[in-house]
């Protein structure tokens, strides 16, 4: 007699993730689960959650690369298990990093010979690169002050108020006073004249930005160099310049090769650039290069030998992947100067198409400049009824992720939208975005004014009058009301959208 048995949940011949208990079990959020699950079930439930993320290619808030060629993706996956810091075990990877440093140094006109090794290092991004450059400036300044028998406990750094938050982190983490040049309406980058006025004997460097995060505009590094040279000569100081070229370092050399912003200027001692922005590599790689070996104090370089040989290291972290460094070298030899030039020309052309489409609506003022990083920053001409924050919120239903924000100190009342044009943002997408913005404008025009609703709840103590209940209410100017509303929407947007550009 044959005895038959019914299949059970554990019968692997029948197993299907969506027929298993794992799809009806809540995923752990705080504690590691007691039991294991099949690999395909783990993949499926995580992949399903990730579907709720935004589309990276429609994330126009970010400068970070979101597309690379399949061949480069293969190289990345083949090297994903290599720890870059094991230089003795992976000497070829180390050599590729050194080649990248040399290429970048020559691109930035460093005073190195044709076959001379440049001074620089790969990092996980421009934030780490800026920390390293700042540490070098601080230590050089301290050493000079010690040699002169002068106090060295109050270093400061001069920047514009438009700097990326990593500069504030450097100042706070490494106890350096941050002296910011305030912005003014219509001028959203650091004023070189005001910056040099703020320089004193304790200034370790002046940081200029090649491609402001806010508007993409290049700061005038040449004028800064000339003015600072005169002040150094007059005072006997030796205040140097660092160029934060995170966004513009892989744009300017290909589009405006005659623009003097780099090591052609004698006071520029170090430059950082993000490989994962217009260097066209996925997130996780930045670079910092120094003018000469003397600009990087040897005492900041550590030497280790417990990985097999003597290895110099100057990083804030230790272990990190090799994939992005290999990907950067791939892009350099794959595209070459000609390829990067064409990519940047395409980005700027598509930015122009977007800008002209927005101008044709008659509803926006363009805040960004023609010479700068490929992006379009724009503000509403009339924000009396609706704000840029409403537009950003409404565009999300089409999949677009576009940031709305207010400008830094002394221009906080200006609120803008910003679209970063990357390599994979083509003309068709630019035209589609304009049509969606026009649709959103029509819809918001038909809605009640959120500004008026929010303004009705604003209370201050500037100027008051008695109402019928004997309580104090406030009379405010239209500009004060608009600034309050802008700040309200900024806070609301920040609660919904987080992340770095």
């Amino acid at each position: 007699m044959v005895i038959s048995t019914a299949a059970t949940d554990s019968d692997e011949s029948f197993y299907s993730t969506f027929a298993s208990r794992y799809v009806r079990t809540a995923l752990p959020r705080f504690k590691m689960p007691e039991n294991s699950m099949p690999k395909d079930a783990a993949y499926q439930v995580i992949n399903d959650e990730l579907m709720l993320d935004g589309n990276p290619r429609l994330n126009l808030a970010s400068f970070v690369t979101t597309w690379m060629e399949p061949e480069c993706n293969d190289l990345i996956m083949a090297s994903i298990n290599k720890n870059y810091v094991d230089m003795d075990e992976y000497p070829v990877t180390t050599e590729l990093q050194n080649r990248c440093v040399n290429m970048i140094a020559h691109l930035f006109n460093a005073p190195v010979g044709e076959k001379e090794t440049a001074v620089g290092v790969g990092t996980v991004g421009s934030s780490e690169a800026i920390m390293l450059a700042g540490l070098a400036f601080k230590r050089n300044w301290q050493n000079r002050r010690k040699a002169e028998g002068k106090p060295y406990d109050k270093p400061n750094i001069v920047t514009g108020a438009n700097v990326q938050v990593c500069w504030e982190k450097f100042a706070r983490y490494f106890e350096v006073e941050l002296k910011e040049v305030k912005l003014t309406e219509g001028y959203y980058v650091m004023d070189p004249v005001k910056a040099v006025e703020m320089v004193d004997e304790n200034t370790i460097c002046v940081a200029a930005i090649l491609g402001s995060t806010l508007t993409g505009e290049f700061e005038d590094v040449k004028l800064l160099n000339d003015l600072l040279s005169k002040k150094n000569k007059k005072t006997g100081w030796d205040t140097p310049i660092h160029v934060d070229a995170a966004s513009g370092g892989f744009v300017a050399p290909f589009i405006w090769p005659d623009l003097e912003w780099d090591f052609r200027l004698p006071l520029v001692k170090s430059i950082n650039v993000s490989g994962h922005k217009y260097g066209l590599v996925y997130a996780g790689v930045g670079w910092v290069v120094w003018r000469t070996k003397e600009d990087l104090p040897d005492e900041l370089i550590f030497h280790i030998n417990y990985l097999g040989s003597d290895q110099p290291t100057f990083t804030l972290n230790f272990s990190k992947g090799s994939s992005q460094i290999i990907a950067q070298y791939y892009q350099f030899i794959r595209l070459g100067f000609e390829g990067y030039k064409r990519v940047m020309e395409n980005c700027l052309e598509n930015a122009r198409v977007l800008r002209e489409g927005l101008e044709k609506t008659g509803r926006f003022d363009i805040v960004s400049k023609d010479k700068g990083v490929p992006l379009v920053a724009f503000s509403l001409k009339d924000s009396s009824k609706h704000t840029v924050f409403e537009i950003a919120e409404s565009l999300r239903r089409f999949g677009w992720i576009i940031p709305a924000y207010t400008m830094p100190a002394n221009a906080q009342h200006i609120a803008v939208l910003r679209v970063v044009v990357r390599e994979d943002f083509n003309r068709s997408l630019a035209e589609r975005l304009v049509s969606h913005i026009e649709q959103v404008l029509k819809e918001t025009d038909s809605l009640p004014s959120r500004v008026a609703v929010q303004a009705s709840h604003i209370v201050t103590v500037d100027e008051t009058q008695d109402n019928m209940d004997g309580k104090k209410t406030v009379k405010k100017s239209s500009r004060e009301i608009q600034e309050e509303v802008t700040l309200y929407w900024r806070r609301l947007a920040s609660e919904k959208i987080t992340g770095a550009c």
Side-chain angles (χ1 to χ4, degrees), residues 17-34:
T17 298
F18 291 114
S20 72
R21 61 184 173 85
Y22 301 106
V23 296
R24 63 175 185 266
T25 303
L27 288 176
R29 296 182 61 197
F30 302 105
K31 294 177 63 177
M32 185 182 295
E34 293 293 332

Side-chain angles (χ1 to χ4, degrees), residues 212-442:
S212 171
T213 298
L214 302 176
T215 63
E217 188 175 351
F218 295 161
E219 293 183 344
D220 194 339
V221 189
K222 175 68 165 60
L223 177 58
L224 176 65
N225 178 89
D226 294 345
L227 295 174
L228 192 54
S229 294
K230 293 179 180 178
K231 185 161 188 173
N232 283 343
K233 185 176 181 180
K234 180 180 179 180
T235 60
W237 302 335
D238 191 21
T239 308
I241 295 172
H242 174 85
V243 179
D244 179 357
S247 300
F250 284 121
V251 177
F254 305 105
I255 303 299
W256 298 285
D258 295 329
L259 180 67
E260 294 184 51
W261 63 273
D262 52 20
F263 291 118
R264 285 170 289 184
L265 303 176
L267 290 184
V268 174
K269 303 299 182 182
S270 57
I271 301 172
N272 69 277
V273 65
S274 291
H276 58 223
K277 292 182 180 177
Y278 288 100
L280 308 181
V281 177
Y282 292 139
V285 63
W287 304 92
V288 57
V289 290
W290 284 269
R291 185 183 193 88
T292 66
K293 293 180 179 178
E294 290 71 28
D295 296 310
L296 175 57
D298 188 61
E299 64 220 69
L300 294 180
I301 301 173
F302 291 83
H303 294 265
I304 60 170
N305 60 12
Y306 48 78
L307 293 176
S309 66
D310 179 70
Q311 299 173 9
T313 174
F314 180 42
T315 58
L316 293 182
N317 65 327
F318 195 62
S319 294
K320 66 177 178 181
S322 299
S323 299
Q324 268 66 14
I325 289 174
I326 294 169
Q328 184 75 84
Y329 186 66
Y330 171 91
Q331 292 289 52
F332 283 171
I333 67 170
R334 164 76 174 97
L335 296 173
F337 191 94
E338 176 191 27
Y340 269 93
K341 187 174 188 295
R342 289 183 177 181
V343 169
M344 299 311 150
E345 287 174 341
N346 286 346
C347 290
L348 288 167
E349 174 62 19
N350 290 327
R352 182 191 64 79
V353 170
L354 177 60
R355 181 176 66 251
E356 291 179 353
L358 293 170
E359 288 175 330
K360 286 179 182 178
T361 68
R363 302 288 295 273
F364 299 104
D365 289 320
I366 305 300
V367 177
S368 51
K369 306 297 182 182
D370 292 339
K371 180 176 285 190
V373 175
L375 65 78
V376 182
F378 50 104
S379 61
L380 277 169
K381 289 184 176 180
D382 181 6
S383 298
S384 62
K385 294 183 179 180
H386 299 282
T387 69
V388 292
F389 300 96
E390 291 177 69
I391 295 175
E393 186 179 17
S394 298
L395 285 171
R396 277 195 164 240
R397 79 173 189 270
F398 298 105
W400 303 108
I401 302 174
I402 298 176
Y405 52 88
T406 55
M407 291 295 186
N410 294 351
Q412 301 98 320
H413 59 286
I414 305 296
V416 302
L417 293 156
R418 186 197 67 200
V419 174
V420 177
V421 177
R422 299 188 303 269
E423 175 187 20
D424 53 349
F425 184 80
N426 58 39
R427 179 170 183 146
S428 177
L429 288 175
E431 293 172 344
R432 181 62 61 90
L433 175 58
V434 171
S435 69
H436 286 162
I437 290 175
E438 290 176 332
Q439 182 176 337
V440 166
L441 288 171
K442 291 179 182 178

Side-chain angles (χ1 to χ4, degrees), residues 130-146 152-157 170-177 202-205 240 290 295 297 299-300:
I130 285 168
M131 303 285 177
L132 298 178
L135 285 171
F137 282 119
K138 182 180 179 182
R139 186 55 58 91
N140 279 331
W141 173 82
Q142 288 175 325
N143 290 341
R144 285 197 305 270
R145 299 284 290 182
K146 289 178 184 178
Y152 53 90
D153 60 334
K154 295 182 179 179
N156 69 66
I157 189 168
F170 167 76
R172 188 177 302 178
Y173 295 166
F174 297 105
E175 298 181 321
V176 176
E177 179 190 0
N202 293 320
T203 302
I204 64 174
C205 79
W290 284 269
D295 296 310
E299 64 220 69
L300 294 180

Side-chain angles (χ1 to χ4, degrees), residues 40-59:
D40 48 353
Y43 170 83
Q44 189 67 57
V45 295
I46 295 174
N47 186 65
D48 289 351
E49 284 213 67
L50 289 172
M51 289 192 302
L52 299 175
D53 270 347
N55 183 336
R57 289 189 58 185
L58 297 183
N59 178 10

